[in-house]
Amino acid sequence: MRKLILAVCLTAAALAVPAHASALEYQEGSIGPGTVYGIWVPDAWNGDLVLYAHGFRNPNCPLAVPTTPGAICLGGDSGTPQAVRPVRDALLAMGYAFAASSYSDTALALKEGAEQTFQLKKIFGARVAPPRRTWLWGHSMGGAILVKLAEQHSGEFDGAVAACGMIGGSPTEFRYVANARAVFDWLFPGVVPGGVASMPAGLTFYGDVVPKVLPLFQPSHPDFQTNAAKLLAWAAISQIQYRYRTFPELVKGALELLYFQTLGTPGVLAAAHGFPSDTRDVEYALGAPIPWLDLAALNAGVERVAADPESLAYAEHWYDPTGALEIPMITLHTVADAAVPPVHEDVYRAKVKAAGREHLLVQREFAHDPATEPPDGHCTFKPAEELAAFADLVEWVESGRRPEGATIR
C-alpha cells in the first residue's frame, strides 16, 4: 500500500511538470507510406516503453503523430483525448519512453492500428534499444487494438491500460452503433444525412450534422420540450441504455455517437465490403415504459440493415476478443459514454471469466460530479485518473498484488 500511495503521489507531482521540462530525444519516422510515428526518450530513461494506441480519428483530418500539436484538427484531436498530452509528459518526466503512431488510415482502422502499433515496438528497439518492459496504453478504438495485441502477442508486452475502450469487440460496437442511429432517425426523421449503412460523399460532422442536430435541443427551439422527451426516450431504449446524469450530458452523448457513426460508416463499409452487423431481427424495447412511445410503430418503422457473411467475418477478425489474457490489464470507462458504451466492459469481463483469466483483469468506472464538473462523455478522464491506473498496473506487475477495481465518483 505504501508503494501504491508513493506511486500516485509521484504521478500527481509529475502533472505539475511543464511539457518536456526534462531533456529528451524526439524522433519521427514512417511505417510505410502514409504512416507517421513519434518516439520520445528522456535523458534519464528508466528502460521502459509506453506504447500508445490512439482511437478513431476524423477522416477529414490529415494523418499526424498522436499527442503532437499537428494532430489537432477541427477544434480537437479525435484520436487522442485532451488528457493524453499531460499524461505523456508526466510519464516522460518519470523516466518512461513513449511512442505513438498514426495509422495508415483514419476513422476505423483496427487492422492498421494493430499491425502498425506492433511494428512500432520493433522500430523502437532498432532505433533506440530493446525496452526492459513495454506497457500498452490506448483509448477508444485503441483499447480494442491493445486487447488484440495483449491476447495474441502477450509475450511482447508486460501490462495494459485500456481507457474508454472498444474492448467488447467490433461486433458489440457495430451492433450498438447501428441500433443507436436507427432509433435516432426514427425519432428525428430526416435530420441527420444518410442512414445506418449509407452516408453522402464528402459529409463533414461539424458542417453537416451539428448545425442540424444541436439546435433541436436548445431551449429557444419551438419544439424543445418534444425534442427533449424524444432524446430521453432514445437513451432509454434497451439496446442503447445511455446512462447520462444531466441533459447537457445527454445531448453531448448523442452528438458523440453521431460523430463516430457518420464519419466512420464509409470506412467500415469499404473495409468490411458491406455493413458488419445485421439488425433485421432486433426487437427494440424499453427498460421502463414510456407511455407516449409506440414500440410497435418503432419496430415496424425503424431502418433495418442486412449483413452478409463476409462483412460479419471482418468484424470478428478485426476484432472479436477471446478473453484469453496473458498479461495484467486495467480498463477504465466513464458511466456516461454514448460512443463506446460501458456494455463493452460487461462483454469483455464475461469473455475473460469464461477463459479463466479473471485474475488478470481489473475494471474501473468513473462518474464525475455533474454539479461541479463539465458533462462527462467519451474518454473524459482526468490525467490523474489515468496516471493512477498506470501506477497501479506497474505495481501489480512488480509486486504481484492485484489492485482494486470499483466505480469511482
Side-chain angles (χ1 to χ4, degrees), residues 15 23 37 114 124 129 142 172 187 217 226 247 249 253 255 291 322 337 346 353 356 396 407:
L15 284 173
Y37 66 79
F124 181 93
T172 296
L187 289 164
F217 309 115
T226 298
F247 189 70
E249 218 165 61
L255 286 169
T322 65
D337 188 338
D346 302 330
K353 183 177 181 180
W396 184 4
T407 297

Side-chain angles (χ1 to χ4, degrees), residues 108-405:
L108 193 84
L110 267 167
K111 178 179 183 294
E112 296 84 355
E115 292 173 348
Q116 288 150 12
T117 301
F118 187 65
Q119 287 176 282
L120 184 55
K121 185 197 173 183
K122 298 184 181 301
I123 290 170
F124 181 93
R127 293 193 62 169
V128 181
R132 177 185 59 157
R133 295 180 299 196
T134 302
W135 308 97
L136 291 167
W137 176 39
H139 288 95
S140 195
M141 179 182 69
I145 287 168
L146 55 97
V147 164
K148 181 175 176 65
L149 294 176
E151 290 187 352
Q152 297 187 348
H153 302 282
S154 58
E156 299 283 341
F157 308 106
D158 295 273
V161 175
C164 48
M166 240 175 73
I167 60 174
S170 294
T172 296
E173 182 68 7
F174 293 153
R175 183 167 53 249
Y176 164 77
V177 169
N179 290 330
R181 173 64 198 264
V183 174
F184 188 92
D185 283 355
W186 185 81
L187 289 164
F188 302 99
V191 170
V192 181
V196 172
S198 63
M199 213 56 59
L203 176 138
T204 69
F205 180 73
Y206 297 102
D208 300 314
V209 179
V210 172
K212 295 181 178 180
V213 174
L214 193 56
L216 298 176
F217 309 115
Q218 301 298 318
S220 57
H221 193 283
D223 297 320
F224 169 71
Q225 295 295 339
T226 298
N227 292 337
K230 287 182 178 181
L231 198 61
L232 293 168
W234 173 80
I237 294 293
S238 298
Q239 287 80 4
I240 300 171
Q241 294 187 54
Y242 177 42
R243 292 185 287 164
Y244 64 93
R245 280 84 49 80
T246 65
F247 189 70
E249 218 165 61
L250 173 57
V251 174
K252 181 179 182 180
L255 286 169
E256 287 183 336
L257 175 278
L258 292 170
Y259 177 92
F260 288 104
Q261 193 275 330
T262 55
L263 295 180
T265 294
V268 168
L269 293 171
H273 303 291
F275 193 75
S277 189
D278 197 310
T279 68
R280 290 174 294 177
D281 295 330
V282 176
E283 184 72 20
Y284 294 100
L286 287 166
I290 296 177
W292 63 265
L293 182 63
D294 187 341
L295 280 174
L298 187 157
N299 279 292
V302 74
E303 181 185 0
R304 305 286 183 172
V305 293
D308 60 37
E310 183 181 5
S311 59
L312 294 174
Y314 169 85
E316 183 175 349
H317 189 67
W318 299 102
Y319 178 61
D320 193 10
T322 65
L325 273 177
E326 295 289 347
I327 60 174
M329 176 177 288
I330 297 178
T331 68
L332 314 176
H333 234 104
T334 56
V335 171
D337 188 338
V340 179
V343 69
H344 278 275
E345 301 287 338
D346 302 330
V347 172
Y348 193 56
R349 182 171 61 251
K351 288 175 179 284
V352 170
K353 183 177 181 180
R357 309 295 170 87
E358 306 102 301
H359 61 289
L360 290 173
L361 179 66
V362 168
Q363 295 176 295
R364 294 174 178 173
E365 187 176 69
F366 293 82
H368 300 114
D369 186 353
T372 59
E373 301 184 71
D376 253 342
H378 184 52
C379 303
T380 51
F381 305 105
K382 299 174 184 177
E385 293 166 346
E386 299 202 53
L387 283 165
F390 182 78
D392 287 350
L393 177 69
V394 173
E395 185 187 4
W396 184 4
V397 171
E398 290 180 345
S399 70
R401 291 190 295 272
R402 183 173 178 268
E404 295 180 356

Side-chain angles (χ1 to χ4, degrees), residues 25-27 38-42 45 48-53 65-67 84-85 87-89 91-92 95-101 120 124 137:
E25 175 188 357
Y26 177 66
Q27 303 180 27
I39 291 173
W40 293 257
V41 184
W45 181 35
D48 285 12
L49 169 65
V50 177
L51 196 56
Y52 179 70
V65 176
T67 82
V84 172
R85 282 172 283 278
V87 171
R88 176 202 63 191
D89 293 335
L91 292 169
L92 291 169
Y96 291 91
F98 191 93
S101 176
L120 184 55
F124 181 93
W137 176 39

Side-chain angles (χ1 to χ4, degrees), residues 16-70:
V17 178
H20 310 317
S22 59
L24 59 89
E25 175 188 357
Y26 177 66
Q27 303 180 27
E28 276 193 16
S30 174
I31 308 174
T35 306
V36 289
Y37 66 79
I39 291 173
W40 293 257
V41 184
D43 276 357
W45 181 35
N46 65 10
D48 285 12
L49 169 65
V50 177
L51 196 56
Y52 179 70
H54 74 76
F56 178 98
R57 184 161 168 76
N58 189 332
N60 298 315
C61 296
L63 292 171
V65 176
T67 82
T68 64

